[in-house]
Amino acid sequence: MFVVEDRGGAVALMVASLLFLGTWPALLTLLERRGRLPQHTYLDYSVTNLLAAAVIAIIFGQFGETRPGMPSFFTQLTQDNWPSVLFAMAGGIALSIGNLISQYAWAFVGLSVTNIICSSLAVVLGTTMNYFLDGRINRAEILFPGVACFLVAIFLSSAVHSSNAKDEEDKLSMSRGIELSSDVADQGVKLLPNQEELENGEEDDFDTGTAEFIVQVEKRRSIKVFGSSRWLGLGMVLLAGVCFSLFSPAINLATNDQWRTLRDDVPHLTVYTAFFYFSVSCFAVGIGLNARLLYRPVAGVPPSTIGAYAGDWNGRHWALLAGLLCGFGNGFQFMGGQAAGYAAADAVQALPLVSTFWGVILFGEYRRSSRRTYLLLGCMLSMFIVAVVLLMASAAHRKTG
């Protein structure tokens, strides 16, 4: 069994997790913007996400010499450890619901802002819970200033989204063929494209950040957001953030049994076994909800069928890769958290630094925006970097055995 022995190894796992968790949302956003149905994408993603958990559990949790109080993966599957298993599975349910909500939220408020708000909420709420669950092994004088920086980042990200939305409205209002929806013209907020132009327009490529580019994205994407309130998107993001704040404390409880729900003669779940059960419940919820959404879609997404999903190979390899990246990213986060404290491992919530990079490079987010938007974006990312450095610096070493 592989066990992380030192703080340096834990930090290395966190860095790898950061890169993986910051990249997989960009792949799902890419497919949505190309018109692939989010239900199809999430079903593919769920399969490889579970596969990654099984690979981690077998390779790291089964092979090699076991340690006292740390049974192998297959051994733990037969033990009476159901209280801890239920904690792990509850965490998987929270993550699956959060991922599903955020997949739609990306279309409403953009990849960068969605991940910033979700990650900040996960840190503000989840890190605080993990700090006390871990017996305060992390340095509070460093940890909580970092948490405060994440809290500031939430408000800055909201300001960025509001400023960028106004920039896009200004571009659309000055563009030929874009007009205010008649039923919301008095509000001066919601903009609708000329429907006939959307349906019959040519498939030209336009300069990134222009009004024509915004309309072209709307025409191709599977989730329709024109005419939707910006507050709907922000509400979805906040709900997803609350879900994300719960899954790491749930894994913490599953692996360390702080509430003493196991019998004295039953060893704690290893992080590999807990992560496997976590991923099983995540898979079950993801498959169940998206199978229903095939026939009863939301957010303007067209309905589909199981047969249509099975035959949809357009971009499937990207969805499968996204599941692997997310699975290994979560697994590495939990492995690092078990070694150095789950509160410090929440530093991987710096993933918006990676996703913002992909958002700018792949999707042209914030291109041709106002100087005010760029200033707010810079302040938000700077605050985020400071917060992550502080959380990493608070890392400790958990005693095992």
Side-chain angles (χ1 to χ4, degrees):
M1 177 183 297
F2 175 75
V3 179
V4 181
E5 298 283 3
D6 56 77
R7 182 170 136 177
V11 170
L13 286 170
M14 294 177 199
V15 172
S17 175
L18 165 64
L19 296 175
F20 290 171
L21 293 178
T23 299
W24 75 266
L27 297 179
L28 266 61
T29 302
L30 175 66
L31 292 175
E32 187 274 323
R33 289 199 173 199
R34 288 182 174 179
R36 192 169 197 252
L37 296 183
Q39 311 98 304
H40 293 186
T41 298
Y42 203 90
L43 287 169
D44 289 334
Y45 153 91
S46 297
V47 172
T48 49
N49 187 62
L50 178 60
L51 176 62
V55 169
I56 288 176
I58 294 173
I59 292 180
F60 294 132
Q62 178 64 32
F63 296 143
E65 185 178 350
T66 60
R67 299 192 175 195
M70 299 180 68
S72 65
F73 169 62
F74 289 137
T75 299
Q76 287 211 307
L77 293 180
T78 63
Q79 292 179 334
D80 184 16
N81 45 29
W82 279 103
S84 292
V85 169
L86 292 177
F87 279 124
M89 297 185 78
I93 293 172
L95 177 66
S96 185
I97 294 175
N99 281 342
L100 182 61
I101 295 173
S102 65
Q103 185 182 11
Y104 287 86
W106 293 330
F108 284 86
V109 300
L111 178 65
S112 303
V113 172
T114 297
N115 283 347
I116 287 281
I117 296 179
C118 287
S119 297
S120 298
L121 278 174
V123 168
V124 172
L125 301 177
T127 300
T128 302
M129 288 186 279
N130 278 324
Y131 172 74
F132 290 103
L133 286 174
D134 280 334
R136 306 181 184 184
I137 65 174
N138 298 101
R139 299 171 62 185
E141 67 275 13
I142 298 178
L143 178 71
F144 285 105
V147 172
C149 289
F150 271 101
L151 183 60
V152 173
I154 294 177
F155 294 101
L156 287 174
S157 64
S158 179
V160 169
H161 171 59
S162 179
S163 179
N164 193 56
K166 186 178 184 304
D167 293 341
E168 292 192 349
E169 289 173 10
D170 291 340
K171 296 172 190 175
L172 291 171
S173 63
M174 293 186 295
S175 176
R176 176 179 61 85
I178 304 296
E179 56 185 15
L180 282 171
S181 173
S182 59
D183 60 336
V184 294
D186 293 338
Q187 300 177 29
V189 174
K190 303 176 185 177
L191 288 167
L192 290 174
N194 183 291
Q195 191 63 32
E196 182 178 350
E197 182 174 318
L198 282 184
E199 293 175 356
N200 302 323
E202 297 178 0
E203 294 293 324
D204 294 330
D205 289 328
F206 299 101
D207 291 338
T208 302
T210 63
E212 291 81 2
F213 174 80
I214 295 170
V215 173
Q216 185 187 48
V217 170
E218 172 69 12
K219 181 171 62 175
R220 291 177 176 175
R221 75 186 322 158
S222 58
I223 301 175
K224 305 303 181 183
V225 298
F226 270 119
S228 298
S229 168
R230 71 184 66 165
W231 299 110
L232 172 62
L234 287 175
M236 294 170 66
V237 173
L238 291 174
L239 180 58
V242 171
C243 292
F244 289 143
S245 71
L246 298 176
F247 76 83
S248 179
I251 284 288
N252 196 346
L253 285 167
T255 54
N256 297 299
D257 193 33
Q258 292 92 335
W259 292 352
R260 301 187 181 279
T261 57
L262 295 176
R263 298 199 319 265
D264 292 339
D265 60 335
V266 177
H268 295 174
L269 288 184
T270 66
V271 67
Y272 309 113
T273 308
F275 180 49
F276 176 76
Y277 281 116
F278 170 94
S279 299
V280 167
S281 64
C282 190
F283 172 82
V285 171
I287 292 294
L289 289 178
N290 279 277
R292 177 177 175 80
L293 289 172
L294 284 175
Y295 299 93
R296 296 180 178 272
V298 296
V301 177
S304 183
T305 64
I306 293 294
Y309 158 69
D312 181 10
W313 289 91
N314 181 27
R316 172 161 285 166
H317 57 290
W318 292 118
L320 296 174
L321 177 59
L324 289 174
L325 290 174
C326 183
F328 281 106
N330 284 329
F332 290 164
Q333 176 189 354
F334 298 150
M335 291 165 66
Q338 188 62 20
Y342 283 92
D346 285 334
V348 303
Q349 298 301 334
L351 60 94
L353 295 175
V354 180
S355 62
T356 297
F357 169 80
W358 291 121
V360 171
I361 297 299
L362 292 179
F363 313 127
E365 292 184 358
Y366 307 114
R367 297 282 181 87
R368 303 176 187 268
S369 291
S370 65
R371 186 173 300 178
R372 179 175 182 269
T373 298
Y374 288 137
L375 178 61
L376 288 170
L377 180 64
C379 292
M380 178 184 71
L381 294 177
S382 297
M383 185 62 65
F384 212 68
I385 291 171
V386 172
V388 171
V389 170
L390 290 174
L391 259 67
M392 285 281 193
S394 75
H397 177 67
R398 188 192 303 275
K399 296 180 180 179
T400 58

